[in-house]
Amino acid sequence: MGMHWTEVKDEIEQEIDRIWTEEPIEVTLSKKGYFPGRAGAAHGNYFGNMFFQVSELQGLGPYIIEPLMYQAIADDSFDVEHIKKMFIFTYYRKCKLLGDEDPNGAPAAWFNVPKAWQFYNHVVDSFDTIDNKKDLKDLLWSWFGYLTRMYRWFATVFPWEVCGQLMPVITSVEEAEELVRLAKIGDEVLHARI
């Protein structure tokens, strides 16, 4: 049996307090391109790693899974055991990828977020101490707080300017006409009968 759910909640809350205004070392290492677990580095860069960190934490936290879990908690057709299973089914693989060591011998957390995996395991191990939705919701509130805070850190340091330089706004009639010309050619090619 793991920790009591209140101990897990306290552990997560302490981490949230620590990283609220101080950039976590996990984020600092990532923005500098240091991934001790050797994740990614496609084509010799770590852009994809950082994109993954932003998008996965956004989905696991505030924008997709958090609202889903709160809806399940509020729905009388889901009991506390269903929601615990949903948590495991939803988070196991992603948290393992974010924060566990790669089975092929990587020496550190695969995507530099070891506490996502640590806290996931502590939450699951504490499920035996939760027998009602109120307590589960209270614990998950802290879990989501951690994921959201990490997402916001990664979104803050992500090199958005790189994307912006490659996607200029169309500002002239000539540029728009060129796009129309290319669209017509593309349409002819895509609809050509062979």
Side-chain angles (χ1 to χ4, degrees), residues 21-45:
T21 58
E22 182 181 327
E23 183 177 287
I25 188 64
E26 303 95 308
V27 174
T28 304
L29 293 175
S30 296
K31 78 178 182 184
K32 294 184 180 291
Y34 184 61
F35 287 82
R38 292 184 240 147
H43 306 289
N45 70 67

Side-chain angles (χ1 to χ4, degrees), residues 52 54-67 69 90-95 98 116 143-144 147-148:
F52 181 84
V54 171
S55 61
E56 287 302 307
L57 287 165
Q58 179 185 52
L60 293 174
Y63 292 107
I64 299 175
I65 306 304
E66 180 178 357
M69 295 297 281
T90 304
Y91 284 105
Y92 172 80
R93 186 170 176 270
K94 294 296 184 173
C95 290
L98 283 165
W143 166 256
F144 294 132
L147 293 175
T148 298

Side-chain angles (χ1 to χ4, degrees), residues 129-170:
T129 67
I130 298 174
D131 62 3
N132 64 77
K133 287 184 177 182
K134 181 186 174 302
D135 291 348
L136 182 58
K137 183 178 181 180
D138 201 19
L139 174 58
L140 293 184
W141 184 84
S142 299
W143 166 256
F144 294 132
Y146 168 74
L147 293 175
T148 298
R149 192 69 197 130
M150 289 300 287
Y151 153 67
R152 289 182 176 154
W153 272 116
F154 280 111
T156 298
V157 304
F158 186 81
W160 298 106
E161 66 279 4
V162 172
C163 301
Q165 292 171 2
L166 300 175
M167 303 169 140
V169 173
I170 302 300

